[in-house]
Amino acid sequence: MRIVLGVGGGIAAYKVASLLRLFTEAGHSVTVIPTEASTRFVGVATWEALSGHPVTNNVFDDVQNVNHVRLGHEADLMVVAPATADLLAKAATGQANDLLSTTLLMARGPVLFVPAMHTEMWQHAATRANVATLRARGGTVLEPAGGRLTGKDSGPGRLPEPAEIFAAALALTGTNPSGAASLAGRTVTITAGGTREPLDPVRFLGNRSSGKQGVALAAAALAAGARVRLICAHLEVPTPAGVELVSVETALELRAATLDAAADSDVVIMAAAVADFRPDRSSDSKIKKRDDVADPVITLVRNPDILAELVHERNARQRRQLIIGFAAETGDDHGNVLDYALAKLTRKGCDLLVVNQVGVDRVFGQDRNEVVILDRGGKAPLEVSGSKAEVAAAVVREIDARRTGTWPSDAASNRANAHRGPARPLD
Ligand code: CTP
């Protein structure tokens, strides 16, 4: 979807950077048009870096492309956030004296205004009349949130949270990144990133995972209406606003956090790259080179298989829960990627397995992904290639499609079955 994001001159402009990330992570192309005043709060460079598109607020830049006409006509959606009292007044009276206001007059798709201002300004008769005019014309004006404002005052006037704006924007276009898929009312736990297994206070054994695919899954599940918990090992990308975060470092920490979170989750997605082995011991002090003793030898011990444990727990407690694994495979002389993946699906017992073919320059850290989604229920393998956001959207659609199969009823029944206690001890 092509989105024009108009940014007004209010302090809440800084929060709109998170909104922009939610849009781009979900795979949308966003052109930001900040007002002149707003660039005193957040600069053009920030919008260009985050959107990946050039940014201007001047109608006289790039005149030959008649930007306001092109942007207004091409936009599937316009979002104005923060919509200041001034911007609402301009839009209501049809003023057109900068790129944002002219583009608003050219827009043919839905327009979402997200006001943020002091309570008195929001409640002033002039603002009320402008809001009523915009709504009467078919525009959508969100109600601001209540709470602490910039100064000591509080009341209605705060910008709603980016995740709420994101959801409202997608609802307005009747789409979410996962098509018609809805995970409303579901609790989804996602693990992401690479675990780190310490050798000493400064060194660790790690892996090349950036966490991009897990974070894209969190954004897609959030956009589909789920409550999302993201259990983060080492990530190289920011996390979407609106998800509950749990930070971990090692495979054992990830195991404890995930088994705990699974107790009330409808869906668990193991996108993290979990170290299969850890050093048998971690030194409390830095390991030093010494000429009088032999160089150290690292002995590795096996980490527990969290995915297999999740499946075991789910079955033992008769939870109605979908469990999704990822498989990173290279293939070798003994078998191809798919042979290994099918064997892994059977061995791990999860419901879906998202299979990547990996290599040093394939998958890890890249923005694109090619996967095959295997279904234990016997559905034909589904090949998906595209951005990690598109792959995430496909996974969310597959999850939603399981509603008629082993789809869990609700997290509440899981909680009732949970008998939460300490996770099973390690073997
Ligand atoms: N996984 C896990 N616990 C581990 C290792 C992996 O839960 N100790 C999960 C990963 O998050 C992923 C899936 O298992 O969802 C498959 O990971 P992968 O590394 O491909 O498989 P392994 O089980 O490690 O098998 P192998 O290394 O033998 O291919």
Side-chain angles (χ1 to χ4, degrees), residues 231-246:
I231 300 180
C232 316
H234 175 71
L235 295 181
E236 283 165 16
V237 286
T239 52
V243 303
E244 297 165 32
L245 297 175
V246 181

Side-chain angles (χ1 to χ4, degrees), residues 36-114:
E36 185 68 41
S38 79
T39 59
R40 301 184 66 159
F41 294 100
V42 179
V44 166
T46 300
W47 300 125
E48 288 191 334
L50 292 179
S51 70
H53 293 296
V55 168
T56 179
N57 51 32
N58 190 337
V59 253
F60 298 107
D61 284 346
D62 198 15
V63 176
Q64 70 279 14
N65 280 324
V66 206
N67 265 334
H68 62 292
V69 175
R70 184 179 59 80
L71 288 169
H73 277 175
E74 285 179 1
D76 300 303
L77 169 72
M78 267 194 86
V79 178
V80 182
T84 57
D86 181 59
L87 266 179
L88 292 173
K90 271 175 125 171
T93 54
Q95 288 182 53
N97 59 359
D98 62 8
L99 187 57
L100 179 54
S101 51
T102 45
T103 306
L104 272 169
L105 283 187
M106 293 304 305
R108 293 293 168 268
V111 181
L112 176 67
F113 294 92
V114 193

Side-chain angles (χ1 to χ4, degrees), residues 270 272 274-276 304-307 325-329 344 347-348:
M270 283 296 299
V274 185
D276 286 327
D305 185 329
I306 305 166
L307 182 56
F326 271 70
E329 298 291 349
K344 193 170 283 183
R347 197 168 66 241
K348 303 242 182 188

Side-chain angles (χ1 to χ4, degrees), residues 190-196 204-217 230-238 248-249 254 269-276 326-328 356 358-367 369 388:
I190 300 167
T191 67
T195 59
R196 290 178 161 186
F204 57 83
L205 298 181
N207 60 62
R208 293 179 192 276
S209 172
S210 63
K212 279 185 185 169
Q213 187 62 76
V215 166
L217 278 162
L230 187 61
I231 300 180
C232 316
H234 175 71
L235 295 181
E236 283 165 16
V237 286
V248 297
E249 183 163 317
L254 188 111
I269 307 179
M270 283 296 299
V274 185
D276 286 327
F326 271 70
N356 283 309
V358 295
V360 170
D361 55 355
R362 294 183 76 156
V363 181
F364 290 122
Q366 304 292 309
D367 290 322
N369 210 351
K388 288 191 173 174

